[in-house]
Amino acid sequence: MAMVSVKSLHAGVVMTAVLLSGCAGLGSVGGVGTAPETPEKKVVESAPAEPKTGAGTGSQRHLPQQGYDAQGKKVAYVPAPNPYTAASKPVPPEAVARFRSASDLMADEQYRDARKAFEAITRDYPDLSGPWLKLGELAEIGERMERAEKSYQKALAINPQNVNAYLALALFQRRSGDFEEARDTYVSALELWKDFPEAHLNLAILYDLYMNQPALAQPHFEAYAFLTKGDDPQVADWLIEIRRRTGIETSFIDNPPPAPKAPEETVSADPMAAEKSSETTKTEEKG
């Protein structure tokens, strides 16, 4: 599977946009401008890794499903709302301004000053989770991995509905080689919000390229394509490629009901019609 190159942490792996929302949280929201991190090349194929009992099927419990009406026509799918934005609370304007200023310092690679700025925000606004995600990113840039993980966990502790925190933590775990932990974190995100496109996509990439389980990856590639209305041509190509490898052509998302049977032919009011029809057939056979 051809993949795009790994995004630099300097560009913000998870936080590609700033959106202030959620339970007093700061940061970008999954589904809005967030892109998955993908590896530079496909790992060497080997014997499939053994998943924990129920691990694969557990993730498939959170797949969206295309619905149909009584006539067999598709019903428009309405995704579940993002819990992070649905429970949004006003963020003090001063906090917004300081967060943006700190983000600008980070974008300019003034990491020490950015770290101090975000730490100050956490002290003055302890109920904001977004600054902790930024501190996690900065810790990774400085290769302080233990501090990075604690920062991501702190963001989740402050705001368990911050879907970005799940995404950031799972990506960190995957980069650290903790594939099963990353999988479980993605599944936790989907338990919170089953229609989280980026969680489906990143989980699919994890299953396929890092855990060598393409059959478990395929449903989540499909879920991402379904939730984003197939707007990503690269993911469409990945789906074609993975279906060739798994041999699974049946959709995990869209399973239309059987086509309605054609109505039975009305019996003619002429009691001799059936017999006449039979005689005609015999005549044609003789001819």
Side-chain angles (χ1 to χ4, degrees), residues 70-92:
Q71 287 70 44
K73 296 181 179 180
K74 287 185 178 182
V75 176
Y77 184 78
V78 180
N82 182 340
Y84 184 45
T85 56
S88 62
K89 291 166 60 177
V91 178

Side-chain angles (χ1 to χ4, degrees), residues 126 129 132 149-159:
S129 62
W132 285 102
E149 183 174 16
K150 287 182 178 179
S151 295
Y152 295 138
Q153 295 283 11
K154 181 67 173 179
L156 277 174
I158 292 173
N159 184 357

Side-chain angles (χ1 to χ4, degrees), residues 2 7 53 107 120 178 186 259 263 267 278:
K7 288 192 173 185
T53 303
D178 298 328
Y186 285 130
V267 179
S278 176

Side-chain angles (χ1 to χ4, degrees), residues 121-275:
I121 297 173
T122 64
R123 289 192 296 269
D124 295 338
Y125 301 94
D127 59 341
L128 299 181
S129 62
W132 285 102
L133 291 187
K134 290 296 188 180
L135 287 171
E137 289 184 53
L138 287 166
E140 283 200 76
I141 291 172
E143 298 184 354
R144 297 181 176 89
M145 298 309 173
E146 185 176 352
R147 180 181 294 182
E149 183 174 16
K150 287 182 178 179
S151 295
Y152 295 138
Q153 295 283 11
K154 181 67 173 179
L156 277 174
I158 292 173
N159 184 357
Q161 292 184 312
N162 187 338
V163 293
N164 294 315
Y166 288 98
L167 202 62
L169 177 60
L171 286 171
F172 170 82
Q173 292 167 330
R174 199 275 295 152
R175 286 192 291 268
S176 301
D178 298 328
F179 300 151
E180 291 186 347
E181 288 80 0
R183 175 203 60 207
D184 293 344
T185 300
Y186 285 130
V187 172
S188 295
L190 292 174
E191 287 175 352
L192 177 66
W193 183 26
K194 72 181 181 65
D195 293 326
F196 188 0
E198 286 73 28
H200 281 292
L201 181 55
N202 280 286
L203 179 57
I205 292 170
L206 176 72
Y207 272 140
D208 189 22
L209 298 184
Y210 296 94
M211 302 182 78
N212 197 19
Q213 295 171 355
L216 297 182
Q218 185 172 329
H220 295 285
F221 276 126
E222 287 190 22
Y224 177 82
F226 177 74
L227 292 169
T228 58
K229 303 185 185 302
D231 288 341
D232 191 330
Q234 187 174 44
V235 174
D237 290 341
W238 293 352
L239 257 177
I240 292 172
E241 193 273 340
I242 201 170
R243 282 172 177 153
R244 288 173 181 166
R245 284 189 284 125
T246 64
I248 302 172
E249 294 296 334
T250 303
S251 173
F252 290 88
I253 308 298
D254 187 1
N255 294 290
K261 294 181 180 180
E264 295 182 1
E265 295 183 3
T266 305
V267 179
S268 173
D270 184 355
M272 300 299 292
E275 184 177 345

